């Protein structure tokens, strides 16, 4: 039996962060895919009162909010450690995770990712170019800051991968699927190299949209 159950959908970057973390830990897990349009069903609202994914179950313990889930996994599955021992590096990891949630996803990724990827792929929608244009100044600022914080390090918190990389990589992957990446990525060679390094990891390879869709079909 799987030790961890993750309620999510294949295209969710937050869900992928949880699944990739489980992969990094070599843990046994099961993806419990949400059927389309059931985010606000009574059954799912009982798991997540705000109607979002992911939700993780570990025995009788149920938890939502990706940062909380990632930190929980790092505590109950200590090897390999995904939080640096050094307080400054750990603080940098925490900072980057909040940059992901507050500045990259909200108002930038949620708009560009929806308009360019989720809407067209899943709902047959045409991208709203004005909505995308409106968030580009914020997108440029966020990518510049990410590049600054990454510096020439292999990973965001230093020499070793941390939870920050596993949360950011699925979100940044969405941008690479859009024409905006040509501008947002082109200026930041360190971010492009980091993204390639992350996507090559077995944990990210095991949790691509296509792999998770196949997993969801088999569930
Ligand atoms: N703060 C939440 C955000 C989760 C989130 O926004 N998930 C998206 C999918 S990537 C979602 O469920 N969206 C459904 C909706 O907004 O109705 C977390 O960290 O888990």
């Amino acid at each position: 039996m799987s030790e961890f159950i993750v309620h999510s959908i294949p295209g969710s970057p937050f869900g992928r962060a949880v699944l990739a973390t489980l992969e990094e830990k070599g843990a046994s897990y099961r993806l419990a895919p949400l059927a389309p349009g059931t985010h606000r069903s009574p059954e799912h609202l009982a798991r997540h009162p705000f109607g979002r994914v992911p939700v993780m179950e570990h025995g009788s313990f149920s938890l939502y909010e990706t940062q909380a889930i990632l930190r929980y996994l790092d505590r109950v599955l200590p090897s390999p450690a995904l939080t640096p021992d050094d307080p400054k590096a750990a603080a940098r990891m925490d900072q980057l995770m909040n940059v992901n949630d507050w500045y990259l996803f909200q108002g930038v990724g949620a708009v560009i990712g929806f308009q360019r990827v989720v809407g067209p792929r899943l709902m047959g929608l045409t991208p709203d170019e004005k909505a995308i244009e409106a968030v580009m100044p914020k997108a440029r600022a966020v990518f510049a800051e990410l590049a600054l914080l990454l510096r020439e390090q292999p990973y965001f918190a230093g020499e070793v991968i941390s939870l920050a990389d596993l949360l950011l990589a699925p979100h940044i992957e969405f941008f690479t699927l859009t024409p905006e990446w040509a501008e947002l990525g082109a200026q930041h060679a360190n971010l492009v190299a980091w993204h390639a390094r992350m996507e090559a990891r077995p944990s990210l390879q095991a949790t691509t949209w296509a792999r998770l869709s196949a997993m969801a079909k088999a569930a």
Side-chain angles (χ1 to χ4, degrees):
M1 204 178 110
S2 309
E3 206 186 340
F4 297 90
I5 298 172
V6 182
H7 299 267
S8 188
I9 50 172
S12 164
F14 286 105
R16 188 181 181 202
V18 170
L19 298 167
T21 299
L22 285 161
E23 289 280 346
E24 290 281 343
K25 298 285 187 181
S28 156
Y29 67 86
R30 177 166 69 80
L31 171 64
L34 248 70
T38 61
H39 276 75
R40 284 173 182 74
S41 66
E43 194 188 354
H44 189 62
L45 288 174
R47 287 182 209 114
H48 195 313
F50 305 106
R52 296 196 173 218
V53 292
V55 177
M56 180 217 66
E57 285 172 31
H58 184 203
S60 60
F61 182 57
S62 178
L63 187 66
Y64 64 83
E65 281 306 301
T66 304
Q67 289 203 27
I69 299 171
L70 298 189
R71 290 194 175 89
Y72 175 78
L73 292 176
D74 205 28
R75 288 177 187 123
V76 296
L77 302 167
S79 182
L82 293 170
T83 301
D85 287 333
D86 173 61
K88 290 191 178 74
R92 192 65 80 200
M93 178 192 92
D94 290 341
Q95 178 190 31
L96 263 307
M97 291 171 85
N98 280 308
V99 168
N100 180 80
D101 289 8
W102 279 88
Y103 312 116
L104 181 66
F105 180 67
Q106 288 189 40
V108 178
V111 174
I112 298 178
F114 179 80
Q115 294 297 335
R116 289 278 186 233
V117 186
V118 177
R121 275 195 196 186
L122 300 183
M123 299 170 202
L125 299 175
T126 304
D128 178 343
E129 298 296 337
K130 284 215 160 60
I132 295 169
E133 213 180 293
V135 302
M136 281 302 283
K138 193 173 170 196
R140 288 184 197 103
V142 175
F143 276 85
E145 181 59 12
L146 287 173
L148 196 75
L149 290 171
L150 178 60
R151 298 181 282 149
E152 295 311 317
Q153 308 175 121
Y155 299 101
F156 273 99
E159 294 299 314
V160 178
I161 187 172
S162 78
L163 297 177
D165 301 287
L166 289 161
L167 182 57
L168 278 157
H171 284 86
I172 290 186
E173 166 71 5
F174 258 73
F175 289 89
T176 68
L177 305 175
T178 73
E180 283 66 37
W181 182 242
E183 179 195 332
L184 295 171
Q187 298 177 18
H188 306 298
N190 60 342
L191 270 185
V192 174
W194 166 86
H195 171 256
R197 197 174 303 127
M198 287 302 295
E199 281 299 322
R201 293 182 78 86
S203 63
L204 274 294
Q205 287 293 310
T207 56
T208 58
W209 194 327
R211 292 290 292 272
L212 294 182
S213 298
M215 222 186 271
K217 269 196 196 115

